[in-house]
Amino acid sequence: MAMNIFNNHIRLYLTAGLLFTFLTYLVVIMPAFQNQYNNLPLLGTKPLSGDAKAGKLLYIAEGCVGCHSQQVRNVDMDKKFGSRPGMAADYANIGRTSIWQNTATLMGTERTGPDLTDVGNRQPSKDWNLMHLYHPRSVVPQSIMPSYQWLFEIKAKPSKNDVVVTMPSEFLNGKIGKVVAKKQALQLVAYIQSLKQTPLPTGTVPREFLYKKVANTLAGKEGTKALDGKTLYDANCIACHQANGEGLKGAFPSLKGSPIVNGENLELYVDIIMNGYDARAEYGVMAAVGTNMNFTEKEVTAIINYERSSWGNKGKKVTEEEIKKVMDFVKVKVSASNQ
């Protein structure tokens, strides 16, 4: 009987095909279903919007995955890329790209540029992201990322519906007019801004290494610990306001000699850090960095004291107690205005 299989090509191919199908189900399909059943999305995970889905396809088409990863590993060097290590649940809601294309988790294998797992929280500014796409060196002088200027156009007179990118003239390469983002640029930014780690359920204990705060001993107060304001500034503020605190002319305001940084109006200062700022048309909109990153009075105090003592600033040092009072007041005021 067995020899007859080799003498009958129809029976041979049929037997081989059935065996292949059975093994595929056993080794590939069944474990995949089991894995999907055992790893559901975290509560609070938000599905991609229509623009973000289109932006994801552009992200793939432009080869962004070749330089950027989307996976926070359980190693200390990755703590700046997310609030916790990645887990299977983070990718559980990612479906097939299309009927002909497989699931695209876009975890990546190389980091020529930074990891983007939580970039929607780290850099939520739409203006910054558009400037970065148009001319990366305009916001990150040392960047080796190519510019994506074909996602933009130059218009002498933009319409009221156009999204104009606040671009300093030195990065326009002699072009006259305003930089306007095309639909593709806005979709790509929508996807980038959607990349946020979903918080773990209340009571879940994360791996400790990503939750240890960087601590320095305060001079004259042995044993007292305080967060490193420079580390926090570098992680959350430097992209827009630059390492020298001078910002970017025509895009992001300078903190060097700033009346807000050196002034006495702590309510305004804290409000800007926690809830962002959009009061001056000549500058890009600042996102709610503090709220997005879940800053407590400790982080806000450290950042304020660093900014007030850097770049020649002479602002008064603040304490965690007075910043907490201001933060509580700001929260009440914001809640009241939203009602």
Side-chain angles (χ1 to χ4, degrees), residues 7 9 26 50 112 145 189 213 219 229-230 263 295 311 314 325:
N7 294 329
H9 69 279
L26 190 67
T112 303
M145 174 176 151
V189 169
K213 301 295 184 181
K230 182 180 186 306
F295 281 173
W311 320 301
K314 302 294 182 182
K325 291 179 182 178

Side-chain angles (χ1 to χ4, degrees), residues 46-99:
K46 296 181 180 179
L48 294 179
S49 66
D51 281 341
K53 287 181 180 178
K56 182 177 182 179
L57 295 178
L58 283 165
Y59 182 94
I60 296 170
E62 297 295 346
C64 304
V65 70
C67 294
H68 295 284
S69 60
Q70 290 184 35
Q71 51 175 308
V72 179
R73 302 168 300 172
N74 186 28
V75 294
D76 190 64
M77 67 178 289
D78 275 18
K79 65 184 179 182
K80 61 184 177 181
F81 296 132
S83 58
R84 58 171 175 78
M87 58 182 64
D90 292 327
Y91 310 98
N93 68 332
I94 301 177
R96 295 181 67 85
T97 303
S98 72
I99 191 173

Side-chain angles (χ1 to χ4, degrees), residues 12 72 110 132 172 209 211 228 233 236 261 274 320 325:
L12 175 63
V72 179
E110 183 177 334
H132 189 237
L172 294 178
F209 81 96
Y211 287 79
D228 186 349
Y233 178 88
N236 300 283
V261 173
M274 295 303 297
E320 292 179 6
K325 291 179 182 178

Side-chain angles (χ1 to χ4, degrees), residues 223-242:
T224 303
K225 299 293 183 179
L227 296 182
D228 186 349
K230 182 180 186 306
T231 299
L232 287 164
Y233 178 88
D234 289 349
N236 300 283
C237 314
I238 198 172
C240 295
H241 296 294
Q242 305 296 302

Side-chain angles (χ1 to χ4, degrees), residues 6 18 22 34 36 47 68 76 82 86 95 111 118 126 145 162 187 197 225 243 259 268 272 278 290 296 336:
F6 295 103
L18 289 173
F22 173 73
Q34 185 178 17
Q36 187 174 13
H68 295 284
D76 190 64
R111 285 180 184 161
D118 199 39
K126 181 178 178 180
M145 174 176 151
D162 285 332
Q187 289 173 336
Q197 278 190 315
K225 299 293 183 179
L268 176 60
I272 290 174
D278 185 20
T296 66

Side-chain angles (χ1 to χ4, degrees), residues 181-238:
K182 293 181 181 178
K183 183 179 180 180
Q184 294 93 326
L186 297 175
Q187 289 173 336
L188 183 52
V189 169
Y191 173 65
I192 292 171
Q193 291 185 305
S194 75
L195 298 175
K196 299 178 181 180
Q197 278 190 315
T198 303
L200 294 178
T202 303
T204 303
V205 180
R207 296 178 184 178
E208 186 177 324
F209 81 96
L210 284 178
Y211 287 79
K212 288 182 178 178
K213 301 295 184 181
V214 179
N216 283 343
T217 302
L218 294 174
K221 294 185 179 181
E222 196 64 28
T224 303
K225 299 293 183 179
L227 296 182
D228 186 349
K230 182 180 186 306
T231 299
L232 287 164
Y233 178 88
D234 289 349
N236 300 283
C237 314
I238 198 172

